[in-house]
C-alpha cells in the first residue's frame, strides 16, 4: 500500500512552500488509494509549540488535505533510543567531542587548502581512555553516524537518477550532547517503521536523503522512493525565504484567497501542465503527475492567486453564499437576485459586503463638474425606492427626453451618481436592489 507523510516541524505556521510539499504527498496517496500521515517533527522541544500544531491542522483542514492519522516524534523517543543502541552496537554510531568552534576551525582549514569541508572523523580514532578523560574534563559527547564511503544512488521522482559520493558528505550528527534526537535520524526511523513508500520534499533535503538512505539500510529497512521538488522563488527569481512569513496560509486565507485557487496553482506550478482552476481535489488528483515537474526553481507570484480566486468565487452557487449574505443582512427575498447581480463584480467572497452597503445605504455619488446640472435634473425624475426591473429603462427614457442626452453621456453619469463607480453590475438589474439613493449629494 502507498503510504506518504507530510512532516512539518511545528515551529511556525504553514506557508505556501509547505503547501506544495503537503499537497504532493497527499495527492500521491490519494491517487493510489493509500494513506496520508500527518507527522509532527517535534523533537525540538524548545521551538515546537502546540499553537503551531493546531495551526497546521487547521490549515490542512481548511484546504481539505485530510490525514489518515497523526504521528508525533516526541512520543517515539524510546524507539529512537532503541534504534540508536542498535546502530551503536553495529559500530555505525560514534561519539564526538569537538566544540562548534573547533569544528569551525577545521572547516576553515579545509577550505583554505581547497578541500571540501567534510568532517575528518578524528573522533573515530579516540580510544576509550581519551573519551573518558574528555568526559571527566566536562566535555559532552554527541553522536555521529558513520557513513559507508561508497556512492549513494537513487532514482528520484523529479530529479531522475541521483548519485552522491558519501565521502563528500560529513557523517551526520544524529544525537546531540543533550540527548535530543535530530530530525535526520528520527525521520529515518519513522519512515522505516511507518512503512512510508514515497517521500516528496524540497530539494534542500537532497543531502539528507543520501544519508537517510544509508541510515535506513543500516537499521535493516528499505528506503522509500524519494522525490525532491524545486524551491519556490519570487516572481523575479529572488529567494522567497524572507517573505514566507507574509505568505502563511492563514494570512492568505484571511485576505480572501480561495482554497481551490491555492490548490489548483500549487498542483501545477513548476510543471509542464498549464495551471487550470479545478473544481475539487478529485479533479486535481486526476490531473496530477509528479513526473511533469522540473528541477529548476519555481517562480511564484502571489498575484496569480487572485484571477483563480475570482474565477472560483464568481462561479459559486447561491447556496454557498447564502449564509454570508444573511449575516450581512441581505433580506432573504433579495439575496439570490443580489448574488446574481453582483457576482461578476467580486473577486473575494467578502467583496459582497461593499456591494450590499451600496445597495442598503446608497453610494457616495461621483459627479464630474460638467455633469452636475445634468445629474441634478435627472435625480428629480427618479422616484424613491423600491424599484423594479423596468425602473432603469423608464428613468433613462425620461431623462433622455428632458435633457436630450443619449448613449454614454446619458448612462455613465447616472451610473456614477448612483454607484459612485464607473464599473459595476448591469444597472437595470441593480436598480431593484437599491434600498436608498443619495439624491441630495
Ligand atoms: N520536518 C522536516 C521539514 O520540515 C521534514 C522533511 C521531510 O519531509 O523529511 O523540513
Amino acid at each position: 500500500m502507498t503510504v506518504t507523510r507530510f512532516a512539518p516541524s511545528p515551529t511556525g505556521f504553514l506557508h505556501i512552500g509547505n503547501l506544495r510539499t503537503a499537497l504532493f504527498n497527499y495527492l500521491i496517496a490519494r491517487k493510489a488509494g493509500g494513506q496520508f500521515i500527518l507527522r509532527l517533527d517535534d523533537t525540538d522541544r524548545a521551538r515546537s509549540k502546540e499553537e503551531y500544531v493546531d495551526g497546521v491542522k487547521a490549515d490542512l483542514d481548511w484546504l481539505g488535505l485530510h490525514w489518515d492519522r497523526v504521528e508525533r516524534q516526541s512520543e517515539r523517543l524510546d524507539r529512537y533510543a532503541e534504534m540508536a543502541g542498535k546502530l551503536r552496537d553495529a559500530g555505525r554510531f560514534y561519539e564526538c567531542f569537538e566544540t562548534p568552534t573547533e569544528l569551525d576551525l577545521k572547516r576553515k582549514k579545509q577550505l583554505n587548502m581547497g578541500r571540501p569541508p567534510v568532517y575528518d572523523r578524528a573522533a573515530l580514532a579516540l580510544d576509550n581512555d581519551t573519551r573518558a578523560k574528555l568526559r571527566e574534563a566536562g566535555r559532552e559527547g554527541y553522536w555521529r553516524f558513520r557513513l559507508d564511503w561508497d556512492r549513494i544512488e537513487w532514482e528520484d521522482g523529479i530529479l531522475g537518477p541521483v548519485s552522491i559520493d558519501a565521502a563528500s558528505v560529513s557523517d551526520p550528527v544524529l544525537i546531540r550532547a543533550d540527548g535530543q534526537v535530530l530530525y535526520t535520524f528520527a525521520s529515518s526511523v519513522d519512515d522505516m517503521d511507518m512503512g512510508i513508500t514515497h517521500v516528496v520534499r524540497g530539494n534542500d533535503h537532497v543531502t539528507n536523503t543520501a544519508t537517510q538512505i544509508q541510515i535506513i539500510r543500516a537499521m535493516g529497512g528499505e528506503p522509500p522512493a524519494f522525490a525532491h521538488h524545486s524551491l519556490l522563488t519570487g516572481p523575479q527569481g529572488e529567494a522567497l525565504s524572507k517573505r514566507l512569513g507574509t505568505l502563511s496560509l492563514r494570512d492568505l486565507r484571511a485576505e480572501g484567497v480561495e482554497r481551490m485557487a491555492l490548490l489548483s496553482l500549487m498542483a501545477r506550478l513548476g510543471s509542464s501542465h498549464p495551471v487550470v482552476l479545478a473544481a475539487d481535489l478529485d479533479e486535481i488528483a486526476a490531473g496530477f503527475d509528479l513526473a511533469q515537474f522540473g528541477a529548476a526553481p519555481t517562480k511564484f507570484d502571489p498575484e496569480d492567486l487572485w484571477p483563480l480566486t475570482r474565477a472560483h468565487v464568481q462561479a459559486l452557487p447561491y447556496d454557498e453564499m447564502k449564509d454570508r449574505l444573511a449575516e450581512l443582512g441581505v433580506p432573504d427575498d433579495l439575496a439570490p437576485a443580489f448574488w446574481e447581480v453582483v457576482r461578476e463584480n467580486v473577486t473575494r467572497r467578502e467583496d459582497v459586503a461593499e456591494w450590499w452597503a451600496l445597495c442598503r445605504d446608497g453610494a457616495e455619488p461621483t459627479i464630474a463638474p460638467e455633469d452636475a446640472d445634468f445629474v441634478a435634473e435627472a435625480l428629480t425624475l427618479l422616484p424613491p425606492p423600491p424599484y423594479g426591473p423596468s425602473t432603469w429603462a423608464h428613468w433613462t427614457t425620461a431623462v433622455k427626453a428632458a435633457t436630450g442626452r443619449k448613449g454614454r453621456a446619458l448612462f455613465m453619469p447616472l451610473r456614477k451618481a448612483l454607484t459612485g463607480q464607473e464599473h459595476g453590475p448591469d444597472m437595470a438589474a441593480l436598480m431593484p436592489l437599491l434600498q436608498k439613493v443619495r439624491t441630495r449629494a
Side-chain angles (χ1 to χ4, degrees), residues 367 371-384 387 391-392 394-405 409-415 417-418 431 437-440:
I367 303 170
D371 291 329
D373 293 343
F374 164 73
V375 170
E377 187 177 355
L379 288 177
T380 63
L381 297 169
L382 182 67
Y387 301 131
T391 303
W392 177 253
H394 286 148
W395 182 42
T396 51
T397 307
V399 174
K400 186 176 174 183
T403 65
R405 283 213 196 189
L410 168 68
F411 298 120
M412 187 51 82
L414 298 182
R415 170 185 287 282
L418 259 49
M431 291 301 286
V437 166
R438 301 199 197 171
T439 48
R440 298 204 306 136

mmCIF file of all heavy atoms in Angstrom, residues 367 371-384 387 391-392 394-405 409-415 417-418 431 437-440:
data_model
loop_
_atom_site.group_PDB
_atom_site.id
_atom_site.type_symbol
_atom_site.label_atom_id
_atom_site.label_comp_id
_atom_site.label_asym_id
_atom_site.label_seq_id
_atom_site.Cartn_x
_atom_site.Cartn_y
_atom_site.Cartn_z
ATOM 1 N N ILE A 367 -19.613 62.707 -9.273
ATOM 2 C CA ILE A 367 -20.219 63.560 -10.292
ATOM 3 C C ILE A 367 -19.168 64.522 -10.840
ATOM 4 O O ILE A 367 -18.567 65.296 -10.086
ATOM 5 C CB ILE A 367 -21.396 64.384 -9.701
ATOM 6 C CG1 ILE A 367 -22.435 63.430 -9.083
ATOM 7 C CG2 ILE A 367 -22.046 65.246 -10.777
ATOM 8 C CD1 ILE A 367 -23.499 64.120 -8.264
ATOM 9 N N ASP A 371 -21.107 67.509 -15.371
ATOM 10 C CA ASP A 371 -22.353 66.725 -15.338
ATOM 11 C C ASP A 371 -23.274 67.145 -14.187
ATOM 12 O O ASP A 371 -24.359 66.597 -14.027
ATOM 13 C CB ASP A 371 -22.029 65.221 -15.159
ATOM 14 C CG ASP A 371 -21.372 64.629 -16.393
ATOM 15 O OD1 ASP A 371 -21.675 65.111 -17.511
ATOM 16 O OD2 ASP A 371 -20.562 63.697 -16.239
ATOM 17 N N ALA A 372 -22.825 68.102 -13.376
ATOM 18 C CA ALA A 372 -23.550 68.422 -12.141
ATOM 19 C C ALA A 372 -25.012 68.795 -12.402
ATOM 20 O O ALA A 372 -25.933 68.242 -11.766
ATOM 21 C CB ALA A 372 -22.836 69.531 -11.382
ATOM 22 N N ASP A 373 -25.247 69.698 -13.344
ATOM 23 C CA ASP A 373 -26.625 70.133 -13.612
ATOM 24 C C ASP A 373 -27.459 68.999 -14.174
ATOM 25 O O ASP A 373 -28.616 68.803 -13.800
ATOM 26 C CB ASP A 373 -26.634 71.311 -14.609
ATOM 27 C CG ASP A 373 -26.006 72.546 -13.990
ATOM 28 O OD1 ASP A 373 -25.881 72.552 -12.729
ATOM 29 O OD2 ASP A 373 -25.604 73.449 -14.742
ATOM 30 N N PHE A 374 -26.800 68.261 -15.082
ATOM 31 C CA PHE A 374 -27.498 67.126 -15.709
ATOM 32 C C PHE A 374 -27.940 66.114 -14.643
ATOM 33 O O PHE A 374 -29.099 65.686 -14.606
ATOM 34 C CB PHE A 374 -26.566 66.467 -16.733
ATOM 35 C CG PHE A 374 -26.999 65.096 -17.161
ATOM 36 C CD1 PHE A 374 -28.102 64.920 -18.006
ATOM 37 C CD2 PHE A 374 -26.320 63.959 -16.697
ATOM 38 C CE1 PHE A 374 -28.502 63.642 -18.378
ATOM 39 C CE2 PHE A 374 -26.723 62.686 -17.059
ATOM 40 C CZ PHE A 374 -27.818 62.527 -17.904
ATOM 41 N N VAL A 375 -27.024 65.765 -13.740
ATOM 42 C CA VAL A 375 -27.343 64.764 -12.726
ATOM 43 C C VAL A 375 -28.431 65.293 -11.784
ATOM 44 O O VAL A 375 -29.375 64.576 -11.437
ATOM 45 C CB VAL A 375 -26.079 64.349 -11.936
ATOM 46 C CG1 VAL A 375 -26.446 63.491 -10.734
ATOM 47 C CG2 VAL A 375 -25.109 63.592 -12.844
ATOM 48 N N ALA A 376 -28.320 66.570 -11.413
ATOM 49 C CA ALA A 376 -29.324 67.155 -10.512
ATOM 50 C C ALA A 376 -30.706 67.051 -11.138
ATOM 51 O O ALA A 376 -31.683 66.654 -10.478
ATOM 52 C CB ALA A 376 -28.971 68.611 -10.216
ATOM 53 N N GLU A 377 -30.774 67.363 -12.408
ATOM 54 C CA GLU A 377 -32.072 67.292 -13.095
ATOM 55 C C GLU A 377 -32.567 65.848 -13.178
ATOM 56 O O GLU A 377 -33.744 65.568 -12.917
ATOM 57 C CB GLU A 377 -31.948 67.891 -14.501
ATOM 58 C CG GLU A 377 -33.310 67.984 -15.184
ATOM 59 C CD GLU A 377 -33.244 68.651 -16.568
ATOM 60 O OE1 GLU A 377 -32.145 69.125 -16.954
ATOM 61 O OE2 GLU A 377 -34.282 68.676 -17.254
ATOM 62 N N ALA A 378 -31.632 64.943 -13.515
ATOM 63 C CA ALA A 378 -32.009 63.525 -13.650
ATOM 64 C C ALA A 378 -32.573 63.004 -12.337
ATOM 65 O O ALA A 378 -33.572 62.268 -12.320
ATOM 66 C CB ALA A 378 -30.801 62.703 -14.095
ATOM 67 N N LEU A 379 -31.940 63.401 -11.227
ATOM 68 C CA LEU A 379 -32.366 62.850 -9.925
ATOM 69 C C LEU A 379 -33.766 63.336 -9.533
ATOM 70 O O LEU A 379 -34.484 62.657 -8.802
ATOM 71 C CB LEU A 379 -31.340 63.176 -8.829
ATOM 72 C CG LEU A 379 -30.024 62.384 -8.941
ATOM 73 C CD1 LEU A 379 -29.029 62.814 -7.869
ATOM 74 C CD2 LEU A 379 -30.267 60.882 -8.853
ATOM 75 N N THR A 380 -34.160 64.504 -10.038
ATOM 76 C CA THR A 380 -35.534 64.946 -9.739
ATOM 77 C C THR A 380 -36.554 64.047 -10.442
ATOM 78 O O THR A 380 -37.716 64.002 -10.061
ATOM 79 C CB THR A 380 -35.769 66.413 -10.188
ATOM 80 O OG1 THR A 380 -35.625 66.461 -11.619
ATOM 81 C CG2 THR A 380 -34.803 67.369 -9.526
ATOM 82 N N LEU A 381 -36.093 63.350 -11.483
ATOM 83 C CA LEU A 381 -37.004 62.473 -12.230
ATOM 84 C C LEU A 381 -37.064 61.059 -11.670
ATOM 85 O O LEU A 381 -37.788 60.209 -12.180
ATOM 86 C CB LEU A 381 -36.593 62.422 -13.706
ATOM 87 C CG LEU A 381 -36.671 63.762 -14.445
ATOM 88 C CD1 LEU A 381 -35.989 63.665 -15.810
ATOM 89 C CD2 LEU A 381 -38.135 64.193 -14.616
ATOM 90 N N LEU A 382 -36.213 60.811 -10.653
ATOM 91 C CA LEU A 382 -36.160 59.444 -10.102
ATOM 92 C C LEU A 382 -37.029 59.372 -8.846
ATOM 93 O O LEU A 382 -36.778 60.076 -7.873
ATOM 94 C CB LEU A 382 -34.710 59.075 -9.751
ATOM 95 C CG LEU A 382 -34.487 57.660 -9.212
ATOM 96 C CD1 LEU A 382 -34.775 56.603 -10.275
ATOM 97 C CD2 LEU A 382 -33.048 57.505 -8.693
ATOM 98 N N PRO A 383 -38.053 58.522 -8.869
ATOM 99 C CA PRO A 383 -38.874 58.377 -7.671
ATOM 100 C C PRO A 383 -38.057 57.669 -6.591
ATOM 101 O O PRO A 383 -37.049 57.059 -6.888
ATOM 102 C CB PRO A 383 -40.038 57.501 -8.137
ATOM 103 C CG PRO A 383 -39.513 56.736 -9.297
ATOM 104 C CD PRO A 383 -38.482 57.607 -9.948
ATOM 105 N N PRO A 384 -38.480 57.734 -5.321
ATOM 106 C CA PRO A 384 -37.748 56.999 -4.270
ATOM 107 C C PRO A 384 -37.956 55.499 -4.436
ATOM 108 O O PRO A 384 -38.928 55.080 -5.058
ATOM 109 C CB PRO A 384 -38.365 57.504 -2.981
ATOM 110 C CG PRO A 384 -39.681 58.101 -3.352
ATOM 111 C CD PRO A 384 -39.619 58.494 -4.783
ATOM 112 N N TYR A 387 -37.593 49.971 -6.266
ATOM 113 C CA TYR A 387 -37.558 49.964 -7.718
ATOM 114 C C TYR A 387 -37.845 48.581 -8.267
ATOM 115 O O TYR A 387 -37.728 47.578 -7.557
ATOM 116 C CB TYR A 387 -36.180 50.421 -8.206
ATOM 117 C CG TYR A 387 -35.801 51.803 -7.737
ATOM 118 C CD1 TYR A 387 -34.555 52.035 -7.159
ATOM 119 C CD2 TYR A 387 -36.686 52.882 -7.871
ATOM 120 C CE1 TYR A 387 -34.193 53.303 -6.725
ATOM 121 C CE2 TYR A 387 -36.329 54.154 -7.431
ATOM 122 C CZ TYR A 387 -35.084 54.352 -6.860
ATOM 123 O OH TYR A 387 -34.734 55.592 -6.428
ATOM 124 N N THR A 391 -37.448 50.021 -13.863
ATOM 125 C CA THR A 391 -37.157 51.377 -13.372
ATOM 126 C C THR A 391 -36.084 52.085 -14.207
ATOM 127 O O THR A 391 -36.225 53.223 -14.615
ATOM 128 C CB THR A 391 -36.711 51.333 -11.892
ATOM 129 O OG1 THR A 391 -37.730 50.704 -11.121
ATOM 130 C CG2 THR A 391 -36.448 52.734 -11.365
ATOM 131 N N TRP A 392 -34.979 51.356 -14.446
ATOM 132 C CA TRP A 392 -33.856 51.969 -15.168
ATOM 133 C C TRP A 392 -34.288 52.421 -16.569
ATOM 134 O O TRP A 392 -33.998 53.537 -16.987
ATOM 135 C CB TRP A 392 -32.704 50.976 -15.244
ATOM 136 C CG TRP A 392 -31.502 51.428 -16.019
ATOM 137 C CD1 TRP A 392 -31.101 50.995 -17.236
ATOM 138 C CD2 TRP A 392 -30.525 52.408 -15.614
ATOM 139 N NE1 TRP A 392 -29.947 51.623 -17.631
ATOM 140 C CE2 TRP A 392 -29.561 52.507 -16.649
ATOM 141 C CE3 TRP A 392 -30.373 53.228 -14.487
ATOM 142 C CZ2 TRP A 392 -28.469 53.374 -16.591
ATOM 143 C CZ3 TRP A 392 -29.273 54.090 -14.428
ATOM 144 C CH2 TRP A 392 -28.343 54.149 -15.470
ATOM 145 N N HIS A 394 -37.321 53.119 -17.704
ATOM 146 C CA HIS A 394 -38.254 54.253 -17.639
ATOM 147 C C HIS A 394 -37.531 55.545 -17.300
ATOM 148 O O HIS A 394 -37.757 56.590 -17.898
ATOM 149 C CB HIS A 394 -39.344 53.982 -16.582
ATOM 150 C CG HIS A 394 -40.351 52.984 -17.044
ATOM 151 N ND1 HIS A 394 -40.999 52.115 -16.189
ATOM 152 C CD2 HIS A 394 -40.830 52.691 -18.282
ATOM 153 C CE1 HIS A 394 -41.812 51.337 -16.876
ATOM 154 N NE2 HIS A 394 -41.728 51.671 -18.160
ATOM 155 N N TRP A 395 -36.665 55.432 -16.303
ATOM 156 C CA TRP A 395 -35.958 56.631 -15.828
ATOM 157 C C TRP A 395 -35.072 57.219 -16.923
ATOM 158 O O TRP A 395 -35.146 58.400 -17.233
ATOM 159 C CB TRP A 395 -35.155 56.290 -14.572
ATOM 160 C CG TRP A 395 -34.436 57.459 -13.969
ATOM 161 C CD1 TRP A 395 -34.907 58.728 -13.810
ATOM 162 C CD2 TRP A 395 -33.093 57.465 -13.456
ATOM 163 N NE1 TRP A 395 -33.981 59.529 -13.222
ATOM 164 C CE2 TRP A 395 -32.838 58.777 -12.985
ATOM 165 C CE3 TRP A 395 -32.105 56.501 -13.318
ATOM 166 C CZ2 TRP A 395 -31.626 59.145 -12.404
ATOM 167 C CZ3 TRP A 395 -30.897 56.864 -12.730
ATOM 168 C CH2 TRP A 395 -30.659 58.173 -12.281
ATOM 169 N N THR A 396 -34.250 56.351 -17.541
ATOM 170 C CA THR A 396 -33.314 56.876 -18.547
ATOM 171 C C THR A 396 -34.069 57.426 -19.767
ATOM 172 O O THR A 396 -33.643 58.400 -20.379
ATOM 173 C CB THR A 396 -32.300 55.801 -18.985
ATOM 174 O OG1 THR A 396 -33.008 54.607 -19.356
ATOM 175 C CG2 THR A 396 -31.320 55.466 -17.869
ATOM 176 N N THR A 397 -35.222 56.834 -20.073
ATOM 177 C CA THR A 397 -36.020 57.374 -21.180
ATOM 178 C C THR A 397 -36.511 58.780 -20.836
ATOM 179 O O THR A 397 -36.445 59.708 -21.657
ATOM 180 C CB THR A 397 -37.239 56.458 -21.460
ATOM 181 O OG1 THR A 397 -36.752 55.126 -21.650
ATOM 182 C CG2 THR A 397 -37.996 56.894 -22.703
ATOM 183 N N ALA A 398 -36.953 58.927 -19.585
ATOM 184 C CA ALA A 398 -37.460 60.225 -19.150
ATOM 185 C C ALA A 398 -36.331 61.261 -19.134
ATOM 186 O O ALA A 398 -36.509 62.415 -19.562
ATOM 187 C CB ALA A 398 -38.095 60.102 -17.763
ATOM 188 N N VAL A 399 -35.146 60.840 -18.641
ATOM 189 C CA VAL A 399 -34.004 61.764 -18.561
ATOM 190 C C VAL A 399 -33.570 62.177 -19.969
ATOM 191 O O VAL A 399 -33.273 63.343 -20.241
ATOM 192 C CB VAL A 399 -32.838 61.120 -17.780
ATOM 193 C CG1 VAL A 399 -31.596 62.009 -17.828
ATOM 194 C CG2 VAL A 399 -33.232 60.829 -16.342
ATOM 195 N N LYS A 400 -33.586 61.222 -20.862
ATOM 196 C CA LYS A 400 -33.205 61.494 -22.247
ATOM 197 C C LYS A 400 -34.134 62.547 -22.862
ATOM 198 O O LYS A 400 -33.691 63.522 -23.484
ATOM 199 C CB LYS A 400 -33.296 60.186 -23.040
ATOM 200 C CG LYS A 400 -32.799 60.260 -24.464
ATOM 201 C CD LYS A 400 -32.868 58.853 -25.069
ATOM 202 C CE LYS A 400 -32.534 58.877 -26.540
ATOM 203 N NZ LYS A 400 -32.686 57.531 -27.110
ATOM 204 N N ALA A 401 -35.431 62.335 -22.627
ATOM 205 C CA ALA A 401 -36.425 63.259 -23.172
ATOM 206 C C ALA A 401 -36.238 64.663 -22.596
ATOM 207 O O ALA A 401 -36.336 65.666 -23.299
ATOM 208 C CB ALA A 401 -37.834 62.735 -22.880
ATOM 209 N N ALA A 402 -35.917 64.724 -21.277
ATOM 210 C CA ALA A 402 -35.817 66.019 -20.614
ATOM 211 C C ALA A 402 -34.524 66.753 -20.973
ATOM 212 O O ALA A 402 -34.499 67.983 -21.019
ATOM 213 C CB ALA A 402 -35.917 65.838 -19.101
ATOM 214 N N THR A 403 -33.422 65.999 -21.189
ATOM 215 C CA THR A 403 -32.116 66.662 -21.342
ATOM 216 C C THR A 403 -31.551 66.555 -22.737
ATOM 217 O O THR A 403 -30.610 67.268 -23.079
ATOM 218 C CB THR A 403 -31.084 66.023 -20.383
ATOM 219 O OG1 THR A 403 -30.881 64.655 -20.787
ATOM 220 C CG2 THR A 403 -31.560 66.071 -18.940
ATOM 221 N N GLY A 404 -32.055 65.653 -23.543
ATOM 222 C CA GLY A 404 -31.527 65.477 -24.889
ATOM 223 C C GLY A 404 -30.246 64.642 -24.927
ATOM 224 O O GLY A 404 -29.687 64.384 -25.974
ATOM 225 N N ARG A 405 -29.748 64.219 -23.771
ATOM 226 C CA ARG A 405 -28.521 63.396 -23.781
ATOM 227 C C ARG A 405 -28.841 61.964 -24.191
ATOM 228 O O ARG A 405 -29.937 61.466 -23.930
ATOM 229 C CB ARG A 405 -27.900 63.363 -22.388
ATOM 230 C CG ARG A 405 -27.159 64.608 -22.013
ATOM 231 C CD ARG A 405 -25.992 64.233 -21.122
ATOM 232 N NE ARG A 405 -25.467 65.391 -20.423
ATOM 233 C CZ ARG A 405 -24.338 65.379 -19.719
ATOM 234 N NH1 ARG A 405 -23.651 64.251 -19.585
ATOM 235 N NH2 ARG A 405 -23.906 66.458 -19.116
ATOM 236 N N ALA A 409 -22.958 59.416 -22.688
ATOM 237 C CA ALA A 409 -23.101 60.699 -21.986
ATOM 238 C C ALA A 409 -24.341 60.714 -21.101
ATOM 239 O O ALA A 409 -24.429 61.449 -20.119
ATOM 240 C CB ALA A 409 -23.166 61.843 -22.995
ATOM 241 N N LEU A 410 -25.299 59.894 -21.456
ATOM 242 C CA LEU A 410 -26.518 59.774 -20.650
ATOM 243 C C LEU A 410 -26.300 58.776 -19.510
ATOM 244 O O LEU A 410 -26.548 59.071 -18.345
ATOM 245 C CB LEU A 410 -27.668 59.302 -21.560
ATOM 246 C CG LEU A 410 -28.969 58.850 -20.879
ATOM 247 C CD1 LEU A 410 -29.688 60.030 -20.225
ATOM 248 C CD2 LEU A 410 -29.902 58.175 -21.908
ATOM 249 N N PHE A 411 -25.808 57.592 -19.887
ATOM 250 C CA PHE A 411 -25.771 56.482 -18.916
ATOM 251 C C PHE A 411 -24.642 56.576 -17.885
ATOM 252 O O PHE A 411 -24.865 56.302 -16.713
ATOM 253 C CB PHE A 411 -25.670 55.139 -19.658
ATOM 254 C CG PHE A 411 -26.855 54.868 -20.538
ATOM 255 C CD1 PHE A 411 -26.719 54.695 -21.912
ATOM 256 C CD2 PHE A 411 -28.135 54.796 -19.977
ATOM 257 C CE1 PHE A 411 -27.832 54.466 -22.714
ATOM 258 C CE2 PHE A 411 -29.238 54.540 -20.784
ATOM 259 C CZ PHE A 411 -29.090 54.385 -22.158
ATOM 260 N N MET A 412 -23.438 56.978 -18.347
ATOM 261 C CA MET A 412 -22.300 56.929 -17.426
ATOM 262 C C MET A 412 -22.466 57.861 -16.222
ATOM 263 O O MET A 412 -22.254 57.439 -15.082
ATOM 264 C CB MET A 412 -20.988 57.211 -18.178
ATOM 265 C CG MET A 412 -19.733 57.027 -17.335
ATOM 266 S SD MET A 412 -19.639 55.439 -16.457
ATOM 267 C CE MET A 412 -19.022 54.380 -17.760
ATOM 268 N N PRO A 413 -22.865 59.131 -16.423
ATOM 269 C CA PRO A 413 -23.032 59.988 -15.232
ATOM 270 C C PRO A 413 -24.099 59.440 -14.275
ATOM 271 O O PRO A 413 -23.973 59.609 -13.054
ATOM 272 C CB PRO A 413 -23.474 61.328 -15.821
ATOM 273 C CG PRO A 413 -23.040 61.297 -17.245
ATOM 274 C CD PRO A 413 -23.109 59.862 -17.682
ATOM 275 N N LEU A 414 -25.107 58.779 -14.813
ATOM 276 C CA LEU A 414 -26.157 58.234 -13.945
ATOM 277 C C LEU A 414 -25.619 57.055 -13.143
ATOM 278 O O LEU A 414 -25.873 56.928 -11.944
ATOM 279 C CB LEU A 414 -27.380 57.814 -14.770
ATOM 280 C CG LEU A 414 -28.064 58.947 -15.542
ATOM 281 C CD1 LEU A 414 -29.303 58.426 -16.281
ATOM 282 C CD2 LEU A 414 -28.454 60.108 -14.625
ATOM 283 N N ARG A 415 -24.848 56.196 -13.832
ATOM 284 C CA ARG A 415 -24.222 55.072 -13.103
ATOM 285 C C ARG A 415 -23.335 55.608 -11.983
ATOM 286 O O ARG A 415 -23.397 55.160 -10.839
ATOM 287 C CB ARG A 415 -23.395 54.209 -14.065
ATOM 288 C CG ARG A 415 -22.532 53.169 -13.339
ATOM 289 C CD ARG A 415 -21.622 52.388 -14.276
ATOM 290 N NE ARG A 415 -22.328 51.420 -15.091
ATOM 291 C CZ ARG A 415 -22.753 50.218 -14.680
ATOM 292 N NH1 ARG A 415 -22.550 49.846 -13.428
ATOM 293 N NH2 ARG A 415 -23.374 49.411 -15.493
ATOM 294 N N ALA A 417 -23.445 58.447 -10.499
ATOM 295 C CA ALA A 417 -24.220 59.130 -9.454
ATOM 296 C C ALA A 417 -24.850 58.114 -8.502
ATOM 297 O O ALA A 417 -24.921 58.330 -7.292
ATOM 298 C CB ALA A 417 -25.301 59.999 -10.087
ATOM 299 N N LEU A 418 -25.269 56.995 -9.030
ATOM 300 C CA LEU A 418 -25.970 56.015 -8.197
ATOM 301 C C LEU A 418 -25.021 55.036 -7.488
ATOM 302 O O LEU A 418 -25.322 54.551 -6.394
ATOM 303 C CB LEU A 418 -26.979 55.221 -9.040
ATOM 304 C CG LEU A 418 -28.445 55.675 -8.916
ATOM 305 C CD1 LEU A 418 -28.567 57.176 -9.072
ATOM 306 C CD2 LEU A 418 -29.325 54.960 -9.928
ATOM 307 N N MET A 431 -30.879 48.188 -10.088
ATOM 308 C CA MET A 431 -31.884 49.122 -9.541
ATOM 309 C C MET A 431 -32.835 48.483 -8.528
ATOM 310 O O MET A 431 -33.059 49.045 -7.456
ATOM 311 C CB MET A 431 -32.702 49.779 -10.672
ATOM 312 C CG MET A 431 -31.942 50.748 -11.545
ATOM 313 S SD MET A 431 -31.202 52.158 -10.717
ATOM 314 C CE MET A 431 -32.655 53.160 -10.381
ATOM 315 N N VAL A 437 -31.192 55.882 -2.358
ATOM 316 C CA VAL A 437 -30.387 56.619 -3.329
ATOM 317 C C VAL A 437 -30.094 57.977 -2.709
ATOM 318 O O VAL A 437 -30.987 58.593 -2.134
ATOM 319 C CB VAL A 437 -31.157 56.778 -4.658
ATOM 320 C CG1 VAL A 437 -30.475 57.821 -5.550
ATOM 321 C CG2 VAL A 437 -31.254 55.450 -5.388
ATOM 322 N N ARG A 438 -28.846 58.399 -2.780
ATOM 323 C CA ARG A 438 -28.492 59.699 -2.168
ATOM 324 C C ARG A 438 -28.746 60.796 -3.180
ATOM 325 O O ARG A 438 -27.870 61.180 -3.949
ATOM 326 C CB ARG A 438 -27.043 59.670 -1.719
ATOM 327 C CG ARG A 438 -26.776 58.584 -0.717
ATOM 328 C CD ARG A 438 -25.508 58.856 0.026
ATOM 329 N NE ARG A 438 -25.047 57.648 0.683
ATOM 330 C CZ ARG A 438 -23.872 57.538 1.274
ATOM 331 N NH1 ARG A 438 -23.048 58.551 1.275
ATOM 332 N NH2 ARG A 438 -23.526 56.415 1.856
ATOM 333 N N THR A 439 -29.941 61.268 -3.180
ATOM 334 C CA THR A 439 -30.362 62.207 -4.233
ATOM 335 C C THR A 439 -29.920 63.638 -3.956
ATOM 336 O O THR A 439 -30.036 64.482 -4.818
ATOM 337 C CB THR A 439 -31.894 62.197 -4.369
ATOM 338 O OG1 THR A 439 -32.454 62.316 -3.075
ATOM 339 C CG2 THR A 439 -32.372 60.930 -5.035
ATOM 340 N N ARG A 440 -29.443 63.909 -2.734
ATOM 341 C CA ARG A 440 -29.144 65.303 -2.443
ATOM 342 C C ARG A 440 -27.653 65.622 -2.375
ATOM 343 O O ARG A 440 -27.262 66.634 -1.851
ATOM 344 C CB ARG A 440 -29.835 65.697 -1.129
ATOM 345 C CG ARG A 440 -31.356 65.571 -1.235
ATOM 346 C CD ARG A 440 -32.070 66.436 -0.253
ATOM 347 N NE ARG A 440 -31.620 66.197 1.115
ATOM 348 C CZ ARG A 440 -31.365 67.158 1.990
ATOM 349 N NH1 ARG A 440 -31.488 68.397 1.644
ATOM 350 N NH2 ARG A 440 -30.982 66.842 3.208
#
